Structures are given as structure tokens and as C-alpha cells.
Amino acid sequence: MTKKLSLLLIASIIVSSCSVTKNWKSEQLNNDYLKASFDEFTGVEKLKFSQQPHTIVYLSSTVNTSKGKILLSSNNTILATPNRVNHQKISLSKSQVIKISGEKAQGSFALLYPTLVEKKIQVNYHQNIELLGLCYTLLNLSDFNDIPDDQTFEMNGEKVKIKDLYALTTKIGNEFKPFLTSKNLAIIKTFFDKDFYLHNSNFLLQLDNFPSAKVSEDNPFLSHYSSKAEAEKLINAFNEFAIEINFQDFLKKYSPYYQKMIQEVAKNIPQESFIVEMEHLYGKNVQNYRLYPSLTIPFGQGFAVGNTDTIGNIFASFNKPKEVNQQSALELGYGNPVSLRDICVHEFGHSFVNPAIDKVDESLLQDKESLFEPIREKMTQQGYNQWKICLYEHFNRANEVIIARLLGDNTKADMIYQDNLKNKSYIYLPQIVEKLEFWYNNEFLDKTYEQKVSDIIAELK
């Protein structure tokens, strides 16, 4: 019996080429997932993909045969299938044909083949966040100015004056001293007194730049405020304050600083290849990845932001600025590859991991909460004082290990693993890594990441 499949897909088309099958049963589960079983399959089926720059097909496949054989190939190169589920990245820099070749084969195969765009991390400051940070700096300017000159601590093996870490903060803040008694700033302070100031970030990122911002009903973060009128009170104060202090003149004056800040960040972010691995691992596709470095947010502060199509992070400098006054020799403290890797891989990862754990049945989390006791003190010292937050951190660090291995960087993977296990008391890391890797190589086509997370928590010892 000859059977020709004519399933038109979003990214590809599967066609038969002189295939002979008996009792062929196929199922197109969605646009990029095909399953088939058969009593006998001899011939070739093809998945054709057109050329798409900066795009890959991430093929996950499983082949089961009780007799005969099946081979997978891409542009006539045989694909290795050592595991129950195998994963191959296939570049679409040129058109590709994935072939499923059978020779008197009895059994089944399943293919998952999403196309993933190779994303770039976008680095730029946002004017609204800069005014937000400036207002916080001004409201706390006396604290920054009054840091004792002899107050130090060790940083990267060097004794550093704490006052020096805030050299850029005080330089900028002191330029606006005449406005410390502004009525608009006083209104903004009432909002900061009620809630951490960076919690306003997502809302402000949806607005036009100050002083032209307006509140609309469709802002997805409007619910952060008790009413639209309350949100408008804050935004009107920001708009008026921006005019009052000639904020656009400040941005123009500090343009060389902003350019240098962005340059320091852009030169030190990790290779974006981790994004493809992350999206494949979690089975989710995000359109934009954005970093918002800030001159006005004080040293060491940061906040994760995002919406349905964006994952991002706002952050201040990481290192002591070495020169903040001589524009030809600026060194502002943003060029820290370790900290930027943490923001990109670790903090971006939370946007995938946390929602998966949030979907775990609450009774299961409570049933396993006693596992928090042996590490409660160590976790609390790191700022993680709840069992659920502890799970966020465990799974996110486990995924960092796995992603590093998928990128072929076993040295980095081992470093992350050992550091978190031995130095930070992530005692459940070995169980989680082992079970996630088993899922990836054996159950990936049968269970979602979210389902496996729930299974692992249920089995934690």
C-alpha cells in the first residue's frame, strides 16, 4: 500500500517518496509535532524547511522498531540517535530536508521540530526608568552623601570605600539639589513610601517617555495601583518633575556616559546561544530579551521586568567606577561578565522556571515543605526564606547546569554545580539535575517541563 502525506505545516511540508506502508497511523498533534506507527514501513518520508536566516530547527526525535530499521538524516547526513529521545540543532542558513528512511520497519517514530529564531539581547537605557532612579536617588541623597569616608569592605580581592561605589550616584544627585523640596518629588515620595520604588518599573516601561506619558486602561500593569486615578497622580507628578528639572537636558548632557555604559554592558554579555537552549528546554518562545542598564539607579540594585513578549532586567553598576568626571576616560563599573551572565542566564531563567513551579499543586508543595528545614538557615542568609522560593532557586540553578552542558561547556556546568552544592547548600541539586537530564533524554516528547517539575518535587527526598 502506498500512502502520500500532504500535511501542510507552518514551517515545513512532509511528503512521501515511494514509501510502502502497512497499517500506517499518523497523527499531527500540532504544527510541529508528528507521530506515526506502522506494521511495515519501507521508503522515505521528508520534512522540508525553506531557508530562514538566523533560524534553526530544533529536532527532537524518538524511533522505536521491533524489526527492520529506521534512519533519520538531515541533508543526507545521518543523525545520531543514542538516546530514547535525541535532540539536534539544524541551521536554516540554507534549506534543509529531514528524511525518515525505513527498511521493512515495524514500530513508530515521533518528531518535534519547532523553528527557533536565534535571538539577540537588546541593550539600552529607558528614559522613564532613568527618571524613576533619579527620584529615588534624590529622596535618599543625604544618606549617600553621608556615607563615612573610612567605611570599607572587600570586593574582588580589593579593599573598597563604600562611598566610592556611589560616586556616580552622588555626582548626578548633587546636580539636582535645588529640587529636593519640589512638590512633585514629594508626591512621588508618597508612592515610594508605600512600595519599593522599582516595583513601578513594568508600568513605566509601557508608557510614552516623560513628560508625555499618559495612563491608558489597557496597560497590563495598571492593577499595581488601587485605581486609574492613583496611577495618574503618580504619572502626572513624573511628567511635571521632568519638565521642572529639564530632564531632557540632563539626558543630553550625560549622553557620553550613557554611550559608555551601554558599551561596557554590550562587550560583556554572554553569547546569546544560551537563549535557544533555554527556549527549547522550557518549550516556550519569547520575542524579546532586553537589558536596561541605568546611570541613576544606585550601585548594586536591580529588578526583573517583562510582559508576554519580553523578558528583561533593570540594573545599576556592578563594580566601583574608576573615573566618573573625565569623559575621555570614563570607567563606570558595568563591564562585569560574571554579573552580566548571572542577569542573563540566571535572571532570565526565572521567567520560565517560576511559572512552572507556580502551577504545582499547593498541597504537594506543603507536603514537601519539611525538606526546607535542613537548609532554612543557609537559604535565609541568602535571602530565600520560603520553601517555594527555595524551589525556584534550586530548579533555576539546575537548569543553568543543564544549559551549560547543552552548550558543550562542561567546565562551567561543573563549576555552577559544585559552587551551589558545596558553597550555597543547594542539597537537592543532584536529584533535580539527574531527573531533569533523564527527562530530556527519555521523556521530553511525552511530558512538558511543567509536568516534570511537578513529578520531581513529588519525588524529592
Side-chain angles (χ1 to χ4, degrees):
M1 179 176 72
T2 301
K3 182 165 184 174
K4 184 170 184 177
L5 301 180
S6 57
L7 297 167
L8 184 61
L9 311 176
I10 287 179
S12 61
I13 187 168
I14 184 167
V15 296
S16 294
S17 177
C18 302
S19 297
V20 177
T21 64
K22 292 181 180 178
N23 295 325
W24 174 284
K25 296 178 182 178
S26 65
E27 185 179 4
Q28 191 74 36
L29 300 182
N30 53 44
N31 288 326
D32 54 17
Y33 190 11
L34 175 69
K35 296 179 72 174
S37 61
F38 33 83
D39 286 344
E40 183 179 325
F41 167 42
T42 297
V44 178
E45 305 290 344
K46 298 176 182 178
L47 284 167
K48 293 184 176 180
F49 298 84
S50 59
Q51 181 181 15
Q52 299 177 60
H54 311 298
T55 304
I56 68 162
V57 177
Y58 214 134
L59 175 67
S60 300
S61 61
T62 185
V63 175
N64 298 297
T65 54
S66 55
K67 62 181 181 181
K69 65 179 181 180
I70 291 179
L71 293 176
L72 292 179
S73 62
S74 174
N75 280 18
N76 298 316
T77 299
I78 301 297
L79 301 176
T81 55
N83 302 312
R84 182 176 181 272
V85 178
N86 301 279
H87 306 272
Q88 281 97 6
K89 286 176 287 189
I90 302 170
S91 172
L92 293 183
S93 58
K94 59 182 180 180
S95 60
Q96 294 282 347
V97 178
I98 297 174
K99 294 180 181 179
I100 310 104
S101 305
E103 185 178 325
K104 296 183 178 179
Q106 183 179 65
S108 63
F109 64 77
L111 306 175
L112 178 65
Y113 43 95
T115 54
L116 300 176
V117 175
E118 296 173 326
K119 311 285 174 50
K120 291 291 184 183
I121 297 171
Q122 302 163 61
V123 182
N124 212 335
Y125 73 95
H126 195 286
Q127 293 186 27
N128 291 355
I129 300 303
E130 293 310 286
L131 186 59
L132 176 71
L134 177 59
C135 290
Y136 177 84
T137 291
L138 296 179
L139 291 168
N140 295 275
L141 187 59
S142 61
D143 292 338
F144 295 124
N145 282 330
D146 293 344
I147 296 172
D149 198 55
D150 61 351
Q151 199 172 82
T152 64
F153 81 112
E154 191 169 302
M155 182 179 182
N156 300 324
E158 173 190 3
K159 184 175 280 190
V160 177
K161 288 184 179 181
I162 293 177
K163 195 171 190 120
D164 289 346
L165 298 174
Y166 297 96
L168 189 58
T169 300
T170 53
K171 172 181 171 59
I172 292 172
N174 287 327
E175 293 188 18
F176 292 93
K177 269 189 173 182
F179 301 97
L180 294 180
T181 57
S182 164
K183 292 181 180 179
N184 291 307
L185 187 61
I187 292 171
I188 293 167
K189 182 180 184 297
T190 64
F191 284 83
F192 290 4
D193 287 343
K194 289 186 289 187
D195 194 11
F196 181 52
Y197 79 106
L198 287 178
H199 287 173
N200 296 285
S201 300
N202 272 317
F203 181 71
L204 300 189
L205 287 170
Q206 311 303 311
L207 306 177
D208 290 338
N209 290 333
F210 299 129
S212 303
K214 293 180 181 179
V215 178
S216 62
E217 295 281 1
D218 61 354
N219 189 310
F221 300 100
L222 183 58
S223 60
H224 181 74
Y225 306 94
S226 61
S227 66
K228 183 182 178 185
E230 184 196 29
E232 288 176 333
K233 181 181 178 181
L234 175 63
I235 299 312
N236 289 338
F238 275 127
N239 281 333
E240 292 298 322
F241 192 60
I243 295 171
E244 183 181 356
I245 67 175
N246 295 314
F247 186 57
Q248 292 300 318
D249 287 349
F250 161 77
L251 294 174
K252 184 177 180 180
K253 175 183 176 181
Y254 274 82
S255 177
Y257 289 77
Y258 281 109
Q259 291 175 21
K260 179 62 175 176
M261 174 185 72
I262 291 168
Q263 182 185 72
E264 289 182 9
V265 173
K267 283 185 175 180
N268 288 279
I269 58 176
Q271 288 290 321
E272 288 102 331
S273 52
F274 77 91
I275 294 176
V276 163
E277 300 295 350
M278 193 163 61
E279 292 189 343
H280 176 63
L281 187 71
Y282 301 121
K284 291 185 178 180
N285 194 339
V286 178
Q287 187 174 343
N288 301 298
Y289 293 85
R290 290 180 175 153
L291 295 180
Y292 300 100
S294 172
L295 285 183
T296 62
I297 291 174
F299 167 84
Q301 293 189 10
F303 190 70
V305 293
N307 52 37
T308 53
D309 65 358
T310 300
I311 292 174
N313 204 281
I314 294 165
F315 57 93
S317 58
F318 310 107
N319 299 337
K320 181 184 79 172
K322 294 183 179 179
E323 180 54 68
V324 299
N325 293 310
Q326 188 178 347
Q327 290 192 13
S328 61
L330 294 175
E331 287 189 58
L332 302 178
Y334 294 84
N336 186 322
V338 175
S339 296
L340 285 165
R341 185 199 175 280
D342 186 62
I343 283 178
C344 293
V345 182
H346 182 87
E347 297 301 336
F348 286 178
H350 273 300
S351 297
F352 296 95
V353 171
N354 293 17
I357 292 173
D358 288 342
K359 291 183 179 181
V360 174
D361 190 274
E362 193 63 35
S363 63
L364 174 57
L365 295 178
Q366 292 175 2
D367 183 56
K368 292 292 181 175
E369 193 162 3
S370 61
L371 295 176
F372 188 42
E373 293 308 317
I375 55 175
R376 179 185 293 274
E377 183 178 355
K378 294 287 187 181
M379 289 291 112
T380 301
Q381 289 171 4
Q382 298 172 62
Y384 312 127
N385 60 356
Q386 297 176 30
W387 172 231
K388 192 173 189 179
I389 296 174
C390 175
L391 286 172
Y392 290 159
E393 296 301 326
H394 265 85
F395 275 88
N396 203 22
R397 284 162 167 79
N399 295 330
E400 285 185 75
V401 172
I402 292 169
I403 288 169
R405 289 178 182 172
L406 292 175
L407 290 170
D409 194 343
N410 291 324
T411 301
K412 173 66 73 175
D414 291 344
M415 185 188 77
I416 296 168
Y417 185 95
Q418 295 299 333
D419 179 50
N420 283 291
L421 179 61
K422 294 181 178 179
N423 301 328
K424 299 178 181 176
S425 298
Y426 284 89
I427 63 174
Y428 304 112
L429 197 62
Q431 294 179 59
I432 295 171
V433 169
E434 179 184 1
K435 292 177 185 297
L436 281 174
E437 288 192 324
F438 179 85
W439 161 77
Y440 189 74
N441 293 319
N442 295 276
E443 303 170 327
F444 189 83
L445 296 175
D446 303 315
K447 290 184 179 180
T448 65
Y449 175 80
E450 293 169 350
Q451 290 169 330
K452 189 60 182 179
V453 164
S454 184
D455 289 351
I456 292 172
I457 293 173
E459 296 167 0
L460 276 182
K461 300 176 182 178

